[in-house]
Each structure stands twice: as structure tokens, then as C-alpha cells.
Amino acid sequence: MPKFYARRRVSILAALTGLIASVALLNSPTASAALPTPVSASTARGYLSQLTVATENRTGYSRDLFPTWITISGTCNTREWILKRDGTNVVTDSACAATSGSWYSPYDGATWTAASDVDIDHLVPLAEAWDSGASRWTTAQRQAFANDVTRPQLLAVTDNVNQAKGDQDPATWMPSRTAYRCTYVRAWVQVKYYYNLSVDSAEKTALTNYLASC
């Protein structure tokens, strides 16, 4: 009889320990969630084969045509929301501005402890989207694209790396960390496919080559 109760107590303790661990997991910071996992390489290859190949046209482009940093949740705008998602131990004030934390940039492997050193990269740049079909969208559609936290389109990275990337596509720019390139091209193709954006011939060749080694 005592052994039965002992086993029962152990079982109850194990259950409680598991429950506490689950609660802790649920309550842990979402800061390390980072970029939503893009589609697999095989799916990306399938998507790429369906993308229209077309010459790009930047006529009429202005960044102002893509309203950015709208309110996502509570007092948090898109930039602040991504900083919280992609950072570690991020502390924010009442206005949702990050006052402390750290951010690992998967493009170059650098870690930063000041939010001012971090940019939110549009993985498929706004100008690239314009060139590829967004010029025909409504302002509301361009706003949705510029603030998309559901697809793998927004990512916290080193500011000067983001600035060096500019509006380039994978034919002319890729993350210096080779370990991240497969993730990058999978995400790129997923975003272009979801938004029905075209690719130019050099871009498609580059994407095809990178995906072949994923």
C-alpha cells in the first residue's frame, strides 16, 4: 500500500512538473520566434516554376506608396512588434519602444544590444515588389505587404547590412552567412508566390541555383 501511494505521489509530481514546464513555455518571451519558417526547398522550387518571368519596371516608384509601421497590437507598431519577436529578453516601455534586449542578425551573424543598431528588413524589398507587380496594387494592398508579420517577409537585421542590401534581389545580393542562404531564398520565393509577383530572368536563375543546393 505505501508503495502504491508513493508511486501515485511521484506520478502526480511528474504531472505537475510537466504542467509547470508547459506554462513556463507558454509564458516565455516570444522574442526568439524570429522569421516565420518558410516553405521547404522542394515547395519553393515548385512555387518558383510557377512565377511569371518578366522585365522589371520601376517607373513611378516611391517608398511613400507603401505605408509602413502601422499598429500591429496594442501600442506596438510593425517595427516594434518585430523587434520583440526577433530579440532576446526584450524589455519595452509603455509605448512599446525597446529599452533593452539583444538581437542576432542572421544575415551576418552579429549580435546587437541597442535597438537603434537594428533595421527591420523587408526580405523582398518594397522597390523590388513595385518592379514585380505591386505598381498595380491599391495602397491598402501595398500597406499589407509592407507590414506583413505572417509571411517570412520582415526580419530584424544589422542596420548597415540592410542598407547595403537596399533593393537588390538574390541575383546581386545574398546574406554573407552562407548557412542562412537557403532560408533566405525559400522565404523570397514564398513571398513572391503568395503575392503573385514576377521574377526577372537573372533573379530566377539565381534562385534556381541556390535552391538546387538546399
Side-chain angles (χ1 to χ4, degrees), residues 84-165:
K84 288 177 67 177
R85 185 198 70 182
D86 289 3
T88 300
N89 298 323
V90 177
V91 176
T92 58
D93 61 21
S94 59
C96 202
T99 56
S100 64
S102 65
W103 292 268
Y104 174 78
S105 169
Y107 286 178
D108 58 338
T111 298
W112 304 96
T113 56
S116 59
D117 289 323
V118 178
D119 276 0
I120 307 304
D121 179 44
H122 289 93
L123 196 133
V124 174
L126 303 182
E128 168 68 24
W130 178 272
D131 298 348
S132 308
S135 60
R136 298 186 295 271
W137 294 353
T138 65
T139 299
Q141 288 173 314
R142 288 191 287 268
Q143 176 176 288
F145 176 83
N147 298 277
D148 188 350
V149 298
T150 303
R151 260 63 54 181
Q153 163 65 353
L154 295 171
L155 182 64
V157 299
T158 302
D159 54 2
N160 59 1
V161 171
N162 182 49
Q163 290 152 23
K165 172 188 172 181

Side-chain angles (χ1 to χ4, degrees), residues 72-73 76-86 149:
I72 297 296
S73 176
C76 301
N77 67 23
T78 313
R79 172 181 165 80
E80 293 158 347
W81 196 92
I82 296 294
L83 285 173
K84 288 177 67 177
R85 185 198 70 182
D86 289 3
V149 298

Side-chain angles (χ1 to χ4, degrees), residues 40-59:
S40 67
S42 60
T43 298
R45 285 191 285 269
Y47 284 176
L48 180 59
S49 70
Q50 299 176 59
L51 295 182
T52 299
V53 178
T55 303
E56 296 182 348
N57 185 349
R58 191 157 301 183
T59 303

